[in-house]
């Protein structure tokens, strides 16, 4: 008997796809190697930034649609998923682009798309928050940005998928996909336990492991895995309520690419979650098994120096972690059907910023899987664009 649609991977993309598919009445089975949001994947941890402050107009539009979708999911599920705390961009990097774009570009796009924002200068930033911005920093503050409770969001999406009839097979790994491009129906998905699932359609939502799955179809894409450092730091309790959600764009200097971020403080004693948004060559790999899982000491030192230079009240580090970004060459996602067999849909190349779009990506995947006209133009996410380097192996 067919399992209907098999979704490989139970991270953000897998949970969002299963939720969208199951609520459209599709039989759906999610196969996840460990469990949703596991520490080795890109959806680990409890929080993610949400913003419309993008210097790429396409992603800003995607974020606008996502904001509406998150609020709908909150209303439908009775859960708070997105805390509106604002987001401050600051720095002296100017137009120089980065994996997160740049401040002048974000200002331009927000103007074009009527996203409300404020422009605090160095002095106003230092007066309002416990921050010491680089001299001559420019600032952008998007008050309607916020922090997503990402673990809770995964639970809610998975819970709604299950309520609508989806099955989750946790601690199961897909070891093969057979019958693609042969026209044979159904596809056959083999699992490490020896189970075999017959699938009408397959969704690959395997994050850093995507090329392993694509290899079963005879393809690979150009995707580099970055082991990203993030950390918790203790902060002065008297300042705990004042830390904003922030992202700093400094110009690159030697080993320091100048991109740092942080969240508001939480807990008692209070800690901030903070991280570095670049990755040295030694922390990059194409094979997920070769991705280091221990922090790079030099990057850890740079983060430490940044925090003690540019924030007030930061004390010691209480934990460092490494989690993967799956990077494409143009810093854009891949969300498409596979040309060799349109029964297979893939989401990959999250580039470290996909969580905020989860509900919209879930619906887009469901549209493609079911061959419905997509609500949002998926052309910029095409798997056949040059930057993705789709090749037969
Ligand atoms: C440190 C960090 C900070 C981030 N900050 C932000 C942010 O502020 N805002 C934002 O929007 N985004 C952010 N992101 C990005 C966002 O979290 C990711 O884009 C998103 O969570 C990726 O989800 P995914 O489902 O594509 O991948 P994953 O969560 O990695 O899911 C893939 C899953 O597939 C499973 N799997 C793999 N192979 C198999 C197999 N053969 N069989 C079965 N299961 C398999 C894995 O176990 C894994 O659980 C951040 C990411 C990181 C790492």
């Amino acid at each position: 008997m067919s399992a209907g649609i098999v979704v490989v991977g139970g991270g953000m993309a897998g949970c969002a796809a299963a939720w969208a598919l199951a609520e459209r009445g599709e039989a759906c089975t999610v196969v996840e190697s460990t469990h949703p949001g596991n520490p080795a994947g890109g959806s680990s941890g409890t929080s993610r930034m949400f913003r419309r402050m993008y210097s790429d107009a396409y992603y800003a539009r995607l974020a606008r649609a996502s904001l509406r979708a998150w609020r709908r999911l909150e209303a439908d599920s009775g859960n708070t998923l997105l805390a509106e705390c604002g987001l401050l961009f600051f720095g002296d990097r100017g137009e120089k682009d980065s994996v997160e774009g740049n401040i002048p570009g974000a200002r331009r796009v927000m103007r074009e798309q009527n996203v409300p924002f404020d422009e605090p200068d160095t002095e106003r930033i230092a007066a309002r928050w416990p921050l010491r911005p680089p001299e001559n920093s420019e600032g952008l503050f998007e008050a309607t940005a916020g922090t997503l409770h990402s673990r809770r969001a995964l639970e809610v999406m998975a819970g709604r998928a299950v309520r609508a009839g989806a099955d989750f097979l946790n601690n199961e790994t897909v070891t093969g996909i057979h019958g693609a491009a042969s026209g044979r129906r159904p596809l056959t998905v083999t699992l490490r336990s020896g189970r075999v699932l017959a699938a009408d359609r397959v969704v690959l939502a395997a994050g850093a492991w995507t090329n392993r799955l694509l290899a079963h179809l005879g393809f690979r894409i150009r995707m580099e895995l970055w082991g990203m450092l993030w950390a918790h730091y203790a902060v002065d309790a008297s300042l705990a309520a004042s830390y904003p959600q922030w992202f700093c764009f400094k110009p690159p200097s030697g080993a320091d690419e100048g991109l740092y971020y942080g969240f508001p403080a939480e807990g008692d004693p209070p800690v901030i979650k903070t991280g570095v948004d670049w990755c040295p060559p030694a922390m990059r790999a194409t094979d997920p098994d070769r991705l280091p899982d221990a922090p790079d000491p030099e990057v850890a030192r740079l983060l430490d120096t940044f925090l003690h230079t540019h924030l007030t009240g930061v004390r010691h580090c209480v934990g460092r972690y490494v989690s993967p970004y799956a990077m494409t060459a143009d810093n854009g996602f891949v969300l498409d059907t596979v040309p060799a067999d349109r029964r297979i849909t893939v989401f990959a190349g999250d580039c470290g910023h996909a969580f905020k779009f989860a509900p919209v990506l879930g619906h887009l995947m469901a549209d493609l899987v079911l061959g419905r006209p997509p609500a949002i133009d998926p052309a910029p996410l095409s798997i056949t664009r040059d930057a993705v380097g789709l090749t037969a192996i």
Side-chain angles (χ1 to χ4, degrees):
M1 197 181 92
S2 170
I5 299 161
V6 171
V7 178
V8 186
M12 174 282 293
C15 288
W19 164 45
L21 286 163
E23 289 202 346
R24 293 183 195 195
E26 298 295 328
C28 175
T29 301
V30 180
V31 185
E32 164 54 53
S33 287
T34 55
H35 58 85
N38 64 78
S43 308
S44 62
T46 58
S47 55
R48 292 292 185 269
M49 289 186 187
F50 179 87
R51 62 184 157 105
R52 287 178 287 166
M53 192 154 52
Y54 264 92
S55 42
D56 182 315
Y58 178 78
Y59 285 94
R61 278 195 296 276
L62 220 54
R64 177 184 295 267
S66 303
L67 180 57
R68 284 194 298 267
W70 282 119
R71 294 303 184 205
R72 243 188 337 265
L73 180 58
E74 285 182 313
D76 290 351
S77 68
N79 282 277
T80 301
L81 301 175
L82 173 57
E84 191 179 273
C85 59
L87 172 62
L88 173 71
F89 274 6
F90 69 95
D92 55 350
R93 191 182 176 101
E95 298 268 355
K96 186 162 176 44
D97 217 5
S98 75
V99 288
E100 301 293 350
N102 60 60
I103 292 179
R107 182 190 297 115
R108 195 170 49 247
V109 170
M110 285 198 290
R111 280 203 181 114
E112 282 163 13
Q113 300 194 7
N114 295 318
V115 177
F117 65 95
D118 187 22
E119 295 184 79
D121 60 13
T122 310
E123 272 131 50
R124 278 177 58 212
I125 293 170
R128 178 165 171 192
W129 294 288
L131 301 175
R132 291 188 290 264
E135 242 177 83
N136 303 320
S137 276
E138 50 186 340
L140 289 181
F141 184 70
E142 183 201 349
T144 52
T147 302
L148 280 163
H149 300 291
S150 55
R151 182 168 296 161
R152 195 181 302 158
L154 279 185
E155 285 165 6
V156 168
M157 291 190 291
R160 291 184 75 83
V162 169
R163 214 177 66 180
D167 273 337
F168 272 70
L169 303 181
N170 288 339
N171 303 310
E172 267 287 21
T173 296
V174 170
T175 52
I177 301 170
H178 309 280
S182 68
R184 264 206 321 270
R185 289 174 192 277
L187 297 158
T188 308
V189 178
T190 53
L191 308 185
R192 182 154 293 149
S193 63
R195 270 183 80 171
V196 177
L197 302 176
D200 297 324
R201 288 164 193 273
V202 169
V203 177
L204 302 183
W209 297 267
T210 297
N211 271 325
R212 267 195 206 159
L213 277 307
L214 285 176
H216 298 304
L217 313 174
F219 289 95
R220 63 175 293 109
I221 58 175
R222 195 185 311 137
M223 204 173 75
E224 191 172 50
L225 310 177
W226 291 10
M228 306 305 291
L229 172 74
W230 56 283
H232 286 122
Y233 275 76
V235 290
D236 190 331
S238 68
L239 293 172
S242 326
Y243 292 99
Q245 183 169 252
W246 57 269
F247 196 101
C248 178
F249 297 80
K250 291 206 322 161
S253 160
D256 182 354
E257 267 296 319
L259 304 168
Y260 300 89
Y261 63 85
F263 286 74
E266 54 180 11
D268 185 15
V271 295
I272 54 166
K273 175 182 162 183
T274 177
V276 176
D277 217 21
W278 86 91
C279 166
M283 296 294 289
R284 300 180 186 192
T286 50
D287 178 348
D289 285 346
R290 291 181 177 272
L291 203 57
D293 55 8
D296 179 281
E298 176 60 5
V299 179
R301 190 191 64 75
L302 287 167
L303 176 61
D304 217 76
T305 304
F306 176 89
L307 294 172
H308 288 110
T309 307
H310 293 293
L311 274 73
T312 307
V314 173
R315 293 183 175 161
H316 54 281
C317 179
V318 294
R320 291 192 181 91
Y321 319 89
V322 175
S323 301
Y325 283 3
M327 302 297 294
T328 56
D330 64 0
N331 207 21
F333 310 151
V334 176
L335 198 168
D336 205 347
T337 53
V338 174
D341 192 320
R342 298 289 181 192
R343 292 175 295 173
I344 300 168
T345 299
V346 59
F347 173 78
D350 75 285
C351 297
H353 67 123
F355 205 104
K356 66 182 70 58
F357 306 109
V360 162
L361 296 176
H363 279 286
L364 208 43
M365 281 184 268
D367 288 338
L368 295 190
V369 171
L370 302 173
R372 307 261 162 77
I376 287 172
D377 175 19
L381 313 181
S382 163
I383 197 169
T384 53
R385 69 186 195 271
D386 287 348
V388 178
L390 176 70
T391 40
I393 49 174

